Amino acid sequence: MFKPKRKAVVVGAGIAGLATALRLGRDGWDVTVVERSPARRSSGYMVNLIGRGYDAAERLGLLPALRPRALGLFTTVLTRADGRPKFTVPAALAEATLGPRTLTVFRGDLESALFTAARDHADIRFGVTVTSSDDAGITLSDGTSEHADLLVGADGVHSSTRGPDHVVDLPYVVAAFGLPHPVPGVPDDSATTFIGAGRTAAVVALGPGRSSAFFTYRCADPAAELRKGPAEALTAAFGDLGGGVPDALRHIGPDTYFDAVSQVVMPRWSTGRTVLVGDAAWCVTLFAGHGAALAMAGADELGAALLAHDDVPSALAAWEASLRPEVLKRQALARRGMVQYAPPSDFHVRMNDLTIRAMTLPGIRTLVRRSVERANR
Ligand SMILES: Cc1cc2nc3c(=O)[nH]c(=O)nc-3n(C[C@H](O)[C@H](O)[C@H](O)COP(=O)(O)OP(=O)(O)OC[C@H]3O[C@@H](n4cnc5c(N)ncnc54)[C@H](O)[C@@H]3O)c2cc1C
């Protein structure tokens, strides 16, 4: 018997939105994606596809496109404020802490792989957003309207689909941007990381198109920092550092990702036929290291639930029940992880150093690997 195609409107062409469009489009949905930005947003720092996120990338057929872009193993040099090396973290430690079914890529490479795969399955419109949505339909800012079985809010931590509530602001800002290669002050095929009281500056130099900088720092009023703009705020917070940092600061530009750090904590992620996915629903923050992975898993598992259930609300309820424990675990780990990225004092910096040094010992590395494998199960 002929079954009409179900219609979905996805708000946001970030990681969660593109993954949702790909999954639903492949499952036979008629998908329209609206992205507020006039063009693709391909910037960002490294993201880990790990656990359920790696499984989702595999099921979505993205691994062949992502593997050649994988950052692989590289050495990280922990530095002092002036850029001199403190000690080296061997590449094998990263492997042990992440486990075997992991892929580390730049966010931009993940966005590209998703966009290339999703555009064959969805109508993706840039410079367009939702202006209103009710039982009568969804009105878009390009003057068109849609009657959809499902409205997916994948519009990130500042989601308009969700609204301003349920955001827990944390006292940090974060910045990430690409760098030309080579990066003065950073040896090729390696990364340097400075971790000081209340701040981290990391610069990676892995070749052309694969070099970038990442900054995060603690501050009393993140909104005031954002008003200054990335150039002024980051120079004030990191201008005293040496190594690769001065050169990185010179490359702050219009593509620089610069935002406050917030978690989103909601009692439920769907109402009727509207569902939130990714940061819009459950932002875990960069401190969790799982934002992109959870966005991918959430999108793929949403598609699976919609295939398994005929009615949308039952599918959404089953999907949320399965995913929520993982999200809560990652949010709790992120709150603990802040101490690593922005240690409260020099004492905590020294304790962090001792922990990292201990983890480089071969026996301890095996223990780390086992505990990570347990955490990702
Ligand atoms: C350019 C960029 C760079 C990033 N860099 C990093 C990084 O270096 N480190 C890190 O930890 N995280 C970074 N993030 C966040 C990271 O991508 C997410 O935490 C994670 O991947 C979950 O993805 P998401 O799709 O839920 O959210 P996002 O990746 O933030 O995507 C949300 C998308 O929705 C769009 N959007 C927002 N509002 C509307 C609206 N009203 N209508 C239509 N579209 C809308 C946004 O423009 C964006 O494209 C970055 C996000 C962006 C957009």
Side-chain angles (χ1 to χ4, degrees):
M1 200 182 78
F2 172 74
K3 239 179 147 182
K5 267 192 164 192
R6 294 195 283 180
K7 173 82 200 179
V9 172
V10 178
V11 191
I15 305 306
L18 290 171
T20 304
L22 172 59
R23 173 72 210 224
L24 296 186
R26 275 199 348 202
D27 288 350
W29 287 70
D30 175 6
V31 184
T32 298
V33 181
V34 292
E35 164 58 51
R36 183 175 58 184
S37 159
R40 286 172 53 195
R41 303 187 67 194
S42 307
S43 67
Y45 196 62
M46 291 185 261
V47 297
N48 295 319
L49 292 177
I50 189 166
R52 286 161 86 156
Y54 184 94
D55 298 344
E58 192 170 45
R59 276 193 299 268
L60 290 170
L62 296 169
L63 294 185
L66 290 173
R67 275 212 187 95
R69 305 298 299 164
L71 295 175
L73 298 180
F74 56 88
T75 301
T76 299
V77 180
L78 264 114
T79 61
R80 300 173 199 283
D82 61 6
R84 279 180 302 133
K86 225 191 237 184
F87 60 90
T88 297
V89 184
L93 178 61
E95 191 192 18
T97 50
L98 292 173
R101 277 176 66 80
T102 304
L103 211 54
T104 301
V105 290
F106 282 116
R107 180 191 174 278
D109 289 330
L110 177 58
E111 186 273 349
S112 284
L114 281 166
F115 181 81
T116 305
R119 68 180 166 194
D120 294 337
H121 298 277
D123 169 21
I124 306 176
R125 302 186 203 166
F126 289 93
V128 179
T129 188
V130 169
T131 49
S132 70
S133 150
D134 56 30
D135 289 346
I138 299 164
T139 309
L140 304 179
S141 61
D142 60 2
T144 60
S145 58
E146 302 280 355
H147 289 274
D149 302 281
L150 185 67
L151 174 65
V152 181
D155 43 354
V157 64
H158 308 293
S159 167
S160 313
T161 314
R162 182 197 64 236
D165 293 343
H166 308 296
V167 177
V168 181
D169 289 322
L170 302 170
Y172 304 89
V173 292
V174 59
F177 48 95
L179 295 173
H181 193 77
V183 185
V186 184
D188 281 0
D189 299 320
S190 69
T192 59
T193 302
F194 166 79
I195 305 177
R199 58 184 182 156
T200 284
V203 183
V204 294
L206 301 180
R210 294 155 77 84
S211 300
S212 72
F214 167 86
F215 295 92
T216 188
Y217 61 98
R218 197 181 163 91
C219 52
D221 184 357
E225 298 299 301
L226 297 185
R227 280 195 295 277
K228 289 181 197 164
E232 184 187 333
L234 295 176
T235 305
F238 296 96
D240 60 316
L241 299 185
V245 173
D247 187 68
L249 293 175
R250 279 193 283 278
H251 288 97
I252 295 168
D255 260 7
T256 295
Y257 173 72
F258 183 53
D259 205 351
V261 176
S262 313
Q263 286 193 335
V264 173
V265 182
M266 300 185 75
R268 50 180 301 181
W269 300 330
S270 68
T271 317
R273 285 163 194 275
T274 301
V275 62
L276 301 169
V277 182
D279 282 2
W282 59 66
C283 185
V284 290
T285 79
L286 73 151
F287 299 124
H290 273 69
L294 281 174
M296 298 277 292
D300 177 59
E301 293 176 23
L302 175 65
L306 287 161
L307 268 190
H309 296 262
D310 275 339
D311 75 297
V312 168
S314 305
L316 300 184
W319 165 78
E320 178 165 341
S322 152
L323 196 59
R324 186 171 275 277
E326 172 80 5
V327 164
L328 293 181
K329 178 167 104 180
R330 296 297 162 198
Q331 287 187 326
L333 286 171
R335 288 190 290 270
R336 275 188 258 151
M338 291 170 208
V339 177
Q340 277 163 1
Y341 283 98
S345 68
D346 288 333
F347 169 75
H348 290 85
V349 174
R350 285 195 292 278
M351 294 307 289
N352 258 1
D353 285 356
L354 278 177
T355 311
I356 300 170
R357 273 184 207 267
M359 282 161 66
T360 61
L361 302 172
I364 305 277
R365 211 180 292 160
T366 308
L367 289 177
V368 171
R369 185 199 298 274
R370 289 205 187 116
S371 81
V372 169
E373 280 167 5
R374 271 198 305 277
N376 286 329
R377 241 174 248 148

